Amino acid sequence: MSKDVSPNNAVGRSSAEGSSSRQFFVVSISGSVEAAEFPEHDELYCRYFVEFGSDWQIISGVAEGMSQISKKSKCHIDDRQLCVWNLPVELTLKSTNITGWPKIVVSVYGNDSFGNDVVRGYAWSFVPLESTSTTLSMPAFVPASSSKLQEMTAWFTGRRPEFLNPAIVVHGESRELLRTSSHGHVFVKVNTLIKDLSKCGYENCYKQAQSYSLASIVSEMEKFSVS
């Protein structure tokens, strides 16, 4: 007794198998590294990259980029005196594991008084955990010299402390002894689209967590203490 092996059944079976095997979610990131606010510095440029875990793969786009050099806006035009870049960011990733969720890392550079190219700040942030459009205000910092002598030596030689690999700013390993100082902010416009997260067994409770106020949490705790 022969089975029905018509082309229609074969196509339906293969498409069903393909859909069942494609168990991954997609995170689409778009936007731009808009500007930076560094009151003490001018004529800056930046480099950005998106750091993600080993289980993630790039579907389209690029994970890094570099901007042009930008001068501060004039005081009578904009009191904030921003260095504006509008560096485009466009990247789509897929994964089966939320470990290693994407992070945006921005490094800002400029010339010192001797004309040496030095780092002015590192900034980073997680990609938003929901489909949204927002502007990230990321505090920037630089590594600080461990002593006054090293600080003076770095100033004269133009070799300021900096990371060989900027990705260290998003990892916690070996950072407990790191000294840093704050230097300005970086503003990144981000549009995120997250698709098929539930197919991998995850439920995004980000909005639900935001809805809980401190007063409601305290109220619930008091109920348990009374009982």
Side-chain angles (χ1 to χ4, degrees):
M1 185 175 185
S2 62
K3 294 183 179 180
D4 185 3
V5 291
S6 63
N8 292 334
N9 289 342
V11 171
R13 187 165 55 252
S14 62
S15 61
E17 292 174 353
S19 61
S20 61
S21 62
R22 293 180 55 192
Q23 297 296 328
F24 58 82
F25 60 89
V26 176
V27 177
S28 179
I29 309 164
S30 64
S32 63
V33 183
E34 291 188 329
E37 180 184 17
F38 283 79
E40 300 178 359
H41 306 298
D42 197 1
E43 297 186 1
L44 305 174
Y45 71 94
C46 75
R47 295 175 178 171
Y48 86 88
F49 66 91
V50 180
E51 177 80 359
F52 48 86
S54 57
D55 293 331
W56 295 69
Q57 296 180 7
I58 297 178
I59 299 178
S60 64
V62 293
E64 57 184 340
M66 185 171 68
S67 74
Q68 76 282 2
I69 297 176
S70 174
K71 291 181 65 68
K72 286 183 179 179
S73 53
K74 301 298 182 180
C75 292
H76 65 278
I77 298 176
D78 188 351
D79 294 336
R80 297 175 299 172
Q81 292 189 283
L82 301 177
C83 288
V84 180
W85 298 305
N86 289 325
L87 176 63
V89 177
E90 191 76 32
L91 180 64
T92 303
L93 301 165
K94 70 175 182 178
S95 179
T96 58
N97 191 349
I98 61 173
T99 301
W101 191 268
K103 312 167 192 68
I104 298 177
V105 182
V106 181
S107 307
V108 181
Y109 300 89
N111 291 334
D112 62 8
S113 55
F114 296 104
N116 299 307
D117 190 37
V118 296
V119 64
R120 294 304 189 188
Y122 298 100
W124 74 278
S125 176
F126 279 100
V127 170
L129 303 176
E130 61 173 340
S131 298
T132 186
S133 178
T134 186
T135 298
L136 305 174
S137 178
M138 307 188 301
F141 63 91
V142 292
S145 300
S146 58
S147 66
K148 287 292 183 181
L149 177 60
Q150 289 186 352
E151 185 178 352
M152 292 180 61
T153 303
W155 189 82
F156 280 112
T157 61
R159 302 185 63 179
R160 310 291 178 88
E162 63 178 282
F163 300 124
L164 294 177
N165 181 11
I168 193 176
V169 302
V170 300
H171 300 293
E173 297 84 356
S174 304
R175 288 190 56 188
E176 61 274 5
L177 300 178
L178 181 65
R179 298 179 59 190
T180 62
S181 58
S182 300
H183 286 267
H185 290 78
V186 178
F187 304 100
V188 179
K189 177 70 174 180
V190 179
N191 306 303
T192 55
L193 178 63
I194 303 174
K195 182 182 179 183
D196 296 336
L197 197 62
S198 60
K199 286 186 177 180
C200 297
Y202 298 106
E203 182 180 357
N204 193 341
C205 300
Y206 182 73
K207 290 184 178 179
Q208 183 179 356
Q210 283 186 319
S211 64
Y212 288 106
S213 63
L214 180 60
S216 64
I217 295 175
V218 172
S219 176
E220 291 297 324
M221 292 177 64
E222 290 177 349
K223 291 180 181 178
F224 281 107
S225 62
V226 171
S227 58

